[in-house]
Amino acid sequence: MSDAKFFQRGKIQELRLELNSDKKDRNHTRKKATLKKIVANMTMGNDMSSLYPDVIACMAIPVLEVKKMVYLFLINYAKSKPEMALDAINTFRRDVEDPNPLIRALAIRTMGYIHVDKVTACLIQPLRHCMRDQDPYVRKTAAVCVAKLFMQDRHLVENAGFIDLLRDMLVDSNPSVVANAVAALTEISERSDHIQLKLNMSIASKLVTALNECSEWGQTYILESLMFVVPQEPGDAEMLAERIAPRLQHANSAVVLTAVKVIVYLMNYMSKDEDISNMCKKLSPPLVTLLSSGPEVQYVGLRNILLVIQKHPEILKNDIKIFFCKYNDPIYVKMAKLEIMFRLASEHNVEQVLSELKEYATEVDVDFVRKAVRSIGRLAVKIESTAQRCVEALLELIQTKVNYVVQESIVVIKDIFRKYPNQYESIIGVLCENLDNLDEPEAKAAMIWIIGQYADRIENSDELLDDFLYTFMEETVEVQLALLTATVKLFIKRPTAGQDLVPKVLKWATEEVDNPDLRDRGYIYWRLLSTDVAAAKVVVLSEKPHISTETDNMDPVLLEELLLHIASLSAIYHKAPTTFIPHCKPRFLIPSPALRRQNYGYGRGTLMHQDSFSSVHSNSNGEHTHKDDDLSNSSSTREPQHQRLSYHEQSFDQIAEASIGNQEYYDQRINTENPYRTDTTGTANSKSTAGDLMSFDL
Amino acid sequence: MISAFFIYNQKGEVLISRLYRQDLKRSIADIFRIQVISNTDVRSPIITLGSTSFFHVRHENLYIVALTKWNANAALIFEFCYRFINIGRSYFGKLDEEAVKANFVLIYELLDEVLDFGYPQNSETDTLKMYITTESVKSERAMREDSAKITIQATGATSWRRSDVKYRKNEAFIDVIESVNLLLSTQGNVLRADVAGQIMMRAYLSGTPECKFGLNDKVLLEKDPSNRRKSSNTVEIDDCQFHQCVKLGKFDSDRTISFIPPDGEFELMRYRTSDNINLPFRVHPVVTEIGKSKIEYKILVKANFSSKLNANNVVLTIPTPLNTAGVTCSVSAGKAKYVPAENSIVWKIQRFQGQSEFMLTGEANLTAMTHKKAWSRPPISMDFQVLMFTSSGLLVRFLKVFEKSNYQSVKWVRYMTKAGNYQIRF
């Protein structure tokens, strides 16, 4: 019998009549049919809440299917009609005493979903009983119910002893109960200001034992909770990682990735490099295997792999072929693969990578093609020995005359010119053939930079610039800045060719344009040129700092934080969770005697973001930076050094600041009882922390 | 964790809507319809708007969608969506719009059971079917009688198997199914070749059988010195993953695969190997563009496996440019025709004997195009099945069944290699 016929819009009046009809209703089939119609209408988004008295009346019918539908109705509408929930309370009271454990669990589970104070009040007592129910199914349902209750009334859960009950459940004889209790505790800890989950080694070890008997989801919850173990000795970290490692073979990618997260976390507390490299060896194969899952899981895997290999480059370094794109991979998989390919590219495999990239550059998807072209340019900057071939590849692509390919190529060729000055000027001629097709600011700015830089080698550089200047006022700031500097360069290199253009541009930049950056730069050039041309030459034509792809690396502090969130959304977006999830507790490596020194070679100061035009001011040598100058790590030499100390040497304040940058949160934490605080002053004191800190010594 | 779960049809109508948390309202369902279903250019399976994230998986004519407001475990959410699809398939045969509409009440029941407050719970179909069935009357009686048994089953250490399974004849079938992936460069070099294998088992065994399973796994066999001389017949497995019934700790310590199987069909393990792959087919394409109006194809395909074996359903899909007007071609076996909708020549060969080779010659005529963009030359892809052949050389060495009643059991094994992503660039 198909229920599809119920999937049509029903009128409230008719449904009410049907529910209350006096006609004979053997086995309640008529009532069931009407309820199904109501559920179908609820699904379609039609408001059925006004039927509540009639629906609640059906609760008396002793048919489980009916009961479940009424409960579904209650969950949907209880909030908007609190009074109707009250009518249901008596049934709930009866059900939680039912001899059938499935009914008891159903009642508890449903009550937890109904956020009405009176219902909640009636839930507390039965919930306590259910947490000690003799049936494990009821206990596991009750455990999750505590988390539901917490979302509704934090103080109640924190103060009414539920946390202790949950803690007791961690040593339950049934693995499902343990897993759900762990899940509830983890969630409460992540959301509470007063409760912080902290597991000691003995409880951690018990949880790991329960892993073997848990369902796959339960395993994920338990693994997740192991992120709250802070190993005090390297041996603990090694032992725990060793015991978790078999999970890497699980068929469920959630189990695998969560195990990867815990192992990568524990590596921070291991002392022997050998142990770490052994663990890394174990991580590679399961990460590769993720790529044989469905495309969505592949995507999750790829984004996480990108994080893991930045921290531990030895992982997957010989597996680059796995990341070659298949023609029919979804676009999101292709884009993620491309980034990994670039990162894994080295002297040994660059030949293959380049030939792949050339292949991709002829595909259909515009974004993918652009990224492929850009990667070719970045490859040239990254690996010197291959620069020549990359340039040839780019020239070939320019010959295709596909507009966006040409523009993208020009943008990266600019970087190649900066990295290898005076090596590839021969190709300028080819570039100049494509001037008319440039319509993207980034490509225009790049081309103008090239013309300015080689103004003395390009015969008609003044004419070319003049052409660009024709539309000066309509260009974006990026292009205007480039034009300004290029014109000044032209003037310095070939005064006669530039003498007509310079005054025009300077006048525009200082008088006609509203942008302060442009105006400031215009004045600087003007004064320089009018006071001392020789000095201007030194400044404008000074040797440019080298660029490298080093700065493509993620901010190491952010990377460290993201690694603690492997498998989660934040690891996919490569953004700290605090930036997009409100009220989210940040995570950071908690100091312990076993914590390894974190080696941050360079500080955050080196990382310039794409939109930071402000950098233009501080640039004392007059060489301005385009958008693409995030490729340059030069600023670190000029700006004050922001060298990070290792975590060991930092105070807690610095750690919190470094790893979250969320001052508001942090202020609040410091004022309340801070569970981490004691850790910085030595582990000996950690026992004496305040009463609301959970330390799970069992 | 998951805050809400929706199923939409292709028009964007909500077929199932279940909220698990108060942080979302039903009206959020419209946002997904606008942002994803009506959007022709969706570039990610995850979309975050504000602090709400939408995860979606497409299946048949449905969108399976899970929402969260938390920094949730993305792998877990997608795995849950996949699992939900499997549960649906096992209950209704097929999970599509029709099946969802016909069973929506049951689906709500299932969703109440497999997700609690957005946390996935036991989702083993075998167990679920004990107490959530399409025939509610029967399920109720069953529930009263053995509710305790159900709860133990649903929370126990072997949640995937009932203890009271009985068969007159105890049998187990093993299917080794390998998907061979190949990417051949324009120059004919192997860019990548690997095998993704799957071992499916159908267990019709009584009681609670303990099974031990053995492969010609190089690591295992080389541990034992007496086997070393035979090691030429072993396979180096890069990585493997097991069904949750397999004792992972045991595999980790001594590489034995032991387990108590679920009843009926399940995927025992998946493995991956890239060492010494026997490619069942070699393809030598010669494709020349003659001027702007014609392309010539000469495609030679050769079977590399033993002449005693046959491949079935061999299909080569040979791309043609978008502006193809017509194709003429002739083949030495099978049938080839131009399929304009796919922009390709599809060449089908029903039976392909080992060691034989066939040839396609053809010509595509092109219409003139106003703007000249080079043809991207997508790769030739291939589909096939070869029975009793494994590309990796993997063999099942034994399957032992121990049960306390000590019954005899019959075991069968079958091998098949099929094309995964078998692509040849030209």
Side-chain angles (χ1 to χ4, degrees):
Chain A
M1 188 193 67
S2 163
D3 288 346
K5 60 176 180 290
F6 300 118
F7 241 87
Q8 50 181 298
R9 204 179 177 90
K11 290 211 180 78
I12 301 268
Q13 266 316 321
E14 286 169 16
L15 291 170
R16 175 170 291 141
L17 280 178
E18 278 180 49
L19 269 186
N20 296 324
S21 123
D22 299 331
K23 283 193 195 148
K24 262 198 196 159
D25 191 4
R26 274 192 61 210
N27 300 330
H28 311 282
T29 38
R30 200 183 297 277
K31 281 237 164 51
K32 262 195 249 175
T34 315
L35 282 170
K36 282 183 182 177
K37 278 185 205 166
I38 295 173
V39 171
N41 271 283
M42 229 159 63
T43 304
M44 291 186 278
N46 304 331
D47 186 7
M48 294 281 119
S49 60
S50 56
L51 283 170
Y52 87 88
D54 317 272
V55 174
I56 299 293
C58 296
M59 270 182 116
I61 298 171
V63 176
L64 191 62
E65 202 185 354
V66 171
K67 193 191 283 288
K68 285 185 175 172
M69 283 193 277
V70 176
Y71 280 179
L72 190 64
F73 184 88
L74 268 173
I75 294 168
N76 256 297
Y77 294 121
K79 203 155 189 202
S80 55
K81 302 253 186 233
E83 63 277 19
M84 85 173 169
L86 299 184
D87 294 341
I89 282 181
N90 283 330
T91 318
F92 282 132
R93 282 205 174 119
R94 212 169 37 242
D95 280 359
V96 290
E97 308 274 326
D98 198 282
N100 183 338
L102 290 169
I103 302 277
R104 291 202 296 275
L106 179 65
I108 280 287
R109 188 162 68 215
T110 311
M111 283 171 88
Y113 284 124
I114 297 173
H115 285 207
V116 173
D117 288 346
K118 287 239 172 82
V119 176
T120 311
C122 293
L123 173 63
I124 296 169
Q125 210 39 46
L127 180 57
R128 281 217 185 90
H129 284 296
C130 286
M131 288 177 84
R132 297 207 188 91
D133 199 288
Q134 52 169 346
D135 193 287
Y137 185 82
V138 180
R139 290 202 300 275
K140 77 146 187 151
T141 310
V144 174
C145 202
V146 176
K148 291 181 193 168
L149 198 58
F150 178 83
M151 297 296 277
Q152 214 177 329
D153 189 344
R154 297 176 174 222
H155 298 290
L156 181 75
V157 171
E158 283 167 11
N159 302 325
F162 281 112
I163 301 293
D164 288 330
L165 283 171
L166 272 184
R167 191 168 58 179
D168 294 345
M169 284 175 141
L170 292 185
V171 286
D172 198 287
S173 58
N174 187 294
S176 297
V177 178
V178 175
N180 277 7
V182 163
L185 274 174
T186 311
E187 171 145 10
I188 291 172
S189 156
E190 291 280 79
R191 293 180 189 267
S192 167
D193 298 331
H194 308 289
I195 297 167
Q196 177 60 50
L197 184 61
K198 241 178 112 186
L199 302 174
N200 61 26
M201 278 308 286
S202 87
I203 184 72
S205 158
K206 284 190 180 113
L207 287 176
V208 173
T209 312
L211 269 181
N212 292 320
E213 307 193 323
C214 268
S215 80
E216 49 206 318
W217 315 115
Q219 296 189 18
T220 316
Y221 309 147
I222 290 182
L223 287 168
E224 186 65 55
S225 74
L226 296 178
M227 294 299 286
F228 297 96
V229 178
V230 182
Q232 301 298 317
E233 287 164 37
D236 290 349
E238 284 146 25
M239 190 270 288
L240 210 50
E242 202 60 52
R243 289 184 62 193
I244 294 164
R247 297 298 124 197
L248 296 170
Q249 242 80 50
H250 203 285
N252 187 315
S253 66
V255 177
V256 176
L257 266 178
T258 315
V260 169
K261 162 158 66 182
V262 180
I263 291 172
V264 169
Y265 162 70
L266 290 172
M267 283 193 217
N268 291 305
Y269 295 90
M270 293 181 187
S271 62
K272 285 180 255 156
D273 290 339
E274 189 195 337
D275 289 329
I276 293 178
S277 87
N278 277 340
M279 270 299 152
C280 284
K281 280 197 195 100
K282 286 192 179 180
L283 290 181
S284 294
L287 286 173
V288 172
T289 300
L290 291 175
L291 297 187
S292 40
S293 305
E296 294 85 6
V297 166
Q298 284 186 43
Y299 174 65
V300 174
L302 288 165
R303 296 293 291 171
N304 283 290
I305 286 170
L306 197 53
L307 291 176
V308 175
I309 58 176
Q310 286 185 64
K311 167 88 181 187
H312 298 286
E314 65 272 35
I315 295 177
L316 297 171
K317 70 167 185 259
N318 298 322
D319 290 302
I320 193 162
K321 283 184 176 186
I322 300 293
F323 300 100
F324 289 175
C325 300
K326 296 172 192 156
Y327 191 74
N328 41 358
D329 277 335
I331 182 67
Y332 50 83
V333 169
K334 282 186 178 174
M335 297 290 252
K337 279 185 175 173
L338 204 50
E339 269 177 66
I340 294 176
M341 278 172 63
F342 173 72
R343 225 159 252 293
L344 292 178
S346 65
E347 295 274 357
H348 310 289
N349 55 27
V350 69
E351 194 86 33
Q352 282 176 322
V353 176
L354 184 61
S355 80
E356 281 297 300
L357 291 175
K358 276 155 72 178
E359 195 76 33
Y360 305 157
T362 62
E363 281 198 23
V364 187
D365 189 281
V366 176
D367 285 348
F368 181 60
V369 170
R370 281 175 181 273
K371 207 178 173 99
V373 174
R374 197 167 279 232
S375 302
I376 295 177
R378 287 166 71 200
L379 209 56
V381 176
K382 180 177 175 177
I383 302 168
E384 186 161 2
S385 63
T386 197
Q388 176 69 39
R389 267 167 300 157
C390 291
V391 170
E392 284 161 16
L394 289 170
L395 280 180
E396 266 173 53
L397 289 168
I398 290 176
Q399 303 298 352
T400 62
K401 302 277 180 199
V402 178
N403 194 285
Y404 54 84
V405 173
V406 173
Q407 308 210 44
E408 204 64 44
S409 304
I410 287 178
V411 171
V412 285
I413 285 177
K414 186 208 78 180
D415 290 333
I416 297 178
F417 278 162
R418 268 206 67 176
K419 169 85 183 189
Y420 310 109
N422 308 325
Q423 280 187 39
Y424 299 108
E425 286 96 276
S426 54
I427 67 170
I428 292 175
V430 184
L431 302 184
C432 290
E433 287 165 23
N434 293 286
L435 287 184
D436 296 339
N437 300 324
L438 303 183
D439 53 11
E440 292 165 17
E442 198 181 356
K444 272 191 189 173
M447 191 64 221
I448 293 165
W449 183 88
I450 294 171
I451 297 174
Q453 192 65 19
Y454 295 98
D456 46 346
R457 318 259 177 98
I458 304 171
E459 213 170 292
N460 59 343
S461 53
D462 50 335
E463 288 166 31
L464 296 176
L465 281 179
D466 199 22
D467 278 350
F468 276 113
L469 284 171
Y470 193 68
T471 50
F472 184 84
M473 295 308 290
E474 289 99 67
E475 299 291 355
T476 61
V477 177
E478 182 183 9
V479 179
Q480 290 174 330
L481 284 168
L483 272 171
L484 174 60
T485 305
T487 316
V488 173
K489 280 184 192 162
L490 170 73
F491 175 69
I492 290 173
K493 291 185 175 176
R494 297 168 56 194
T496 42
Q499 62 189 357
D500 293 338
L501 300 181
V502 164
K504 198 162 66 176
V505 176
L506 288 178
K507 198 166 153 57
W508 281 336
T510 51
E511 288 172 17
E512 312 253 329
V513 172
D514 290 334
N515 186 286
D517 283 344
L518 192 59
R519 217 167 41 221
D520 282 359
R521 195 186 286 178
Y523 278 123
I524 290 170
Y525 285 146
W526 201 323
R527 304 234 165 100
L528 263 174
L529 291 173
S530 55
T531 44
D532 184 354
V533 178
K537 188 170 183 175
V538 172
V539 172
V540 177
L541 302 182
S542 67
E543 195 173 325
K544 274 151 284 300
H546 280 291
I547 59 168
S548 78
T549 52
E550 276 290 289
T551 34
D552 288 350
N553 294 338
M554 195 177 269
D555 175 355
V557 179
L558 176 64
L559 176 63
E560 205 60 70
E561 186 183 359
L562 292 180
L563 285 170
L564 302 176
H565 290 284
I566 288 177
S568 78
L569 270 177
S570 116
I572 290 172
Y573 291 132
H574 294 182
K575 277 188 186 145
T578 37
T579 59
F580 67 104
I581 306 281
H583 318 297
C584 177
K585 272 192 196 176
R587 286 187 186 175
F588 42 86
L589 285 174
I590 296 171
S592 96
L595 185 65
R596 288 171 76 89
R597 287 174 68 95
Q598 304 298 311
N599 188 15
Y600 300 140
Y602 46 91
R604 289 164 146 186
T606 52
L607 282 170
M608 290 166 54
H609 292 288
Q610 295 234 327
D611 52 353
S612 62
F613 277 110
S614 56
S615 61
V616 161
H617 293 291
S618 64
N619 229 325
S620 56
N621 64 0
E623 178 48 52
H624 56 286
T625 46
H626 301 306
K627 199 168 159 191
D628 237 284
D629 258 25
D630 59 340
L631 275 176
S632 134
N633 66 358
S634 55
S635 61
S636 66
T637 55
R638 273 175 268 121
E639 285 178 10
Q641 292 283 313
H642 285 275
Q643 288 285 339
R644 281 269 156 232
L645 303 168
S646 85
Y647 277 162
H648 268 313
E649 292 148 350
Q650 284 176 296
S651 68
F652 176 72
D653 304 39
Q654 285 168 313
I655 294 168
E657 195 273 327
S659 46
I660 27 177
N662 182 343
Q663 200 57 41
E664 190 184 282
Y665 169 84
Y666 168 62
D667 286 341
Q668 173 208 334
R669 299 287 298 162
I670 283 299
N671 295 335
T672 58
E673 275 298 330
N674 196 309
Y676 301 137
R677 192 125 209 205
T678 49
D679 292 12
T680 52
T681 55
T683 45
N685 303 341
S686 63
K687 292 261 155 59
S688 62
T689 37
D692 63 352
L693 168 61
M694 316 264 317
S695 62
F696 296 110
D697 291 314
L698 292 155
Chain B
M1 270 306 127
I2 298 172
S3 285
F5 186 86
F6 293 110
I7 300 179
Y8 296 80
N9 64 10
Q10 273 175 319
K11 279 186 261 170
E13 290 164 351
V14 179
L15 305 179
I16 292 288
S17 124
R18 175 69 210 260
L19 303 183
Y20 291 94
R21 293 183 174 225
Q22 303 285 323
D23 51 10
L24 285 176
K25 292 209 177 81
R26 165 68 171 70
S27 52
I28 197 92
D30 300 330
I31 310 236
F32 180 79
R33 186 180 57 237
I34 296 161
Q35 295 287 338
V36 178
I37 301 180
S38 336
N39 186 344
T40 49
D41 189 31
V42 176
R43 306 183 73 88
S44 169
I46 309 172
I47 283 162
T48 299
L49 299 163
S51 56
T52 309
S53 302
F54 301 79
F55 294 70
H56 76 272
V57 173
R58 297 192 66 168
H59 178 75
E60 303 275 355
N61 48 6
L62 299 172
Y63 286 85
I64 315 287
V65 185
L67 273 65
T68 182
K69 299 269 275 183
W70 197 240
N71 184 27
N73 187 322
L76 179 118
I77 294 185
F78 281 130
E79 286 285 350
F80 175 77
C81 293
Y82 294 166
R83 177 59 51 85
F84 178 82
I85 292 167
N86 280 336
I87 295 174
R89 279 208 287 228
S90 148
Y91 265 86
F92 319 122
K94 191 176 180 191
L95 188 74
D96 57 5
E97 181 172 357
E98 202 184 331
V100 171
K101 277 188 167 171
N103 299 287
F104 71 96
V105 177
L106 179 75
I107 290 177
Y108 276 122
E109 266 189 61
L110 281 169
L111 280 175
D112 195 47
E113 185 60 39
V114 294
L115 273 182
D116 191 3
F117 202 41
Y119 285 102
Q121 302 291 307
N122 173 40
S123 49
E124 292 297 323
T125 349
D126 242 32
T127 312
L128 289 171
K129 280 183 174 167
M130 288 170 73
Y131 59 110
I132 299 178
T133 65
T134 34
E135 287 149 60
S136 55
V137 187
K138 187 179 132 208
S139 80
E140 245 159 276
R141 200 177 309 124
M143 258 178 74
R144 259 182 223 124
E145 279 165 17
D146 27 56
S147 59
K149 209 152 103 195
I150 293 168
T151 56
I152 299 297
Q153 174 72 42
T155 57
T158 49
S159 60
W160 54 86
R161 188 183 178 89
R162 290 181 287 140
S163 55
D164 55 355
V165 182
K166 274 200 187 67
Y167 288 100
R168 255 186 28 187
K169 193 174 170 193
N170 289 293
E171 284 183 298
F173 299 87
I174 291 175
D175 277 295
V176 178
I177 303 167
E178 295 201 333
S179 299
V180 48
N181 299 310
L182 169 76
L183 190 57
L184 208 61
S185 78
T186 321
Q187 291 78 31
N189 302 324
V190 175
L191 289 177
R192 64 175 279 212
D194 56 71
V195 165
Q198 210 187 7
I199 298 184
M200 302 294 295
M201 185 167 173
R202 276 176 296 153
Y204 305 116
L205 301 166
S206 314
T208 312
E210 287 260 9
C211 299
K212 268 205 171 119
F213 182 66
L215 300 166
N216 55 342
D217 169 13
K218 191 168 178 181
V219 180
L220 176 64
L221 294 182
E222 288 195 351
K223 259 200 279 191
D224 183 356
S226 63
N227 274 322
R228 197 156 283 166
R229 58 195 163 79
K230 288 187 260 169
S231 66
S232 60
N233 291 328
T234 59
V235 170
E236 194 172 337
I237 294 175
D238 291 358
D239 187 35
C240 45
Q241 290 180 313
F242 297 101
H243 183 272
Q244 63 165 319
C245 67
V246 175
K247 294 174 180 126
L248 294 178
K250 195 117 180 64
F251 181 77
D252 195 56
S253 58
D254 57 11
R255 264 184 111 83
T256 54
I257 304 170
S258 56
F259 56 98
I260 299 169
D263 189 35
E265 182 167 6
F266 68 103
E267 184 189 76
L268 175 63
M269 71 181 275
R270 264 185 276 165
Y271 59 92
R272 205 163 44 70
T273 157
S274 51
D275 186 46
N276 268 326
I277 307 290
N278 297 314
L279 293 171
F281 289 97
R282 275 284 185 173
V283 180
H284 304 278
V286 181
V287 180
T288 26
E289 293 179 48
I290 300 173
K292 283 180 180 170
S293 62
K294 205 172 15 170
I295 295 186
E296 259 184 21
Y297 291 90
K298 278 202 178 73
I299 316 283
L300 179 76
V301 52
K302 182 172 192 297
N304 266 344
F305 45 88
S306 148
S307 58
K308 289 183 195 126
L309 300 175
N310 277 306
N312 298 319
N313 303 323
V314 179
V315 182
L316 282 97
T317 310
I318 304 152
T320 56
L322 292 172
N323 57 333
T324 304
V327 174
T328 51
C329 57
S330 65
V331 289
S332 57
K335 279 180 186 157
K337 70 171 182 202
Y338 170 57
V339 183
E342 291 176 28
N343 289 310
S344 47
I345 305 167
V346 177
W347 179 17
K348 290 183 180 167
I349 303 163
Q350 279 307 325
R351 258 172 80 91
F352 202 132
Q353 202 191 357
Q355 298 301 325
S356 53
E357 60 178 55
F358 300 116
M359 178 88 169
L360 173 145
T361 48
E363 247 178 44
N365 295 307
L366 311 179
T367 54
M369 289 236 284
T370 43
H371 66 285
K372 165 85 181 107
K373 189 189 171 217
W375 176 36
S376 69
R377 289 185 171 232
I380 295 175
S381 58
M382 211 178 159
D383 202 18
F384 52 79
Q385 290 173 352
V386 191
L387 282 176
M388 299 319 277
F389 171 82
T390 52
S391 264
S392 63
L394 184 106
L395 291 170
V396 175
R397 285 173 55 237
F398 59 82
L399 171 68
K400 294 178 189 153
V401 178
F402 308 94
E403 216 275 337
K404 51 181 186 293
S405 65
N406 240 334
Y407 54 71
Q408 288 294 310
S409 52
V410 190
K411 298 104 171 176
W412 308 85
V413 62
R414 215 168 34 165
Y415 301 93
M416 183 176 72
T417 291
K418 58 179 186 175
N421 253 290
Y422 209 81
Q423 300 187 329
I424 300 106
R425 293 181 182 161
F426 58 87

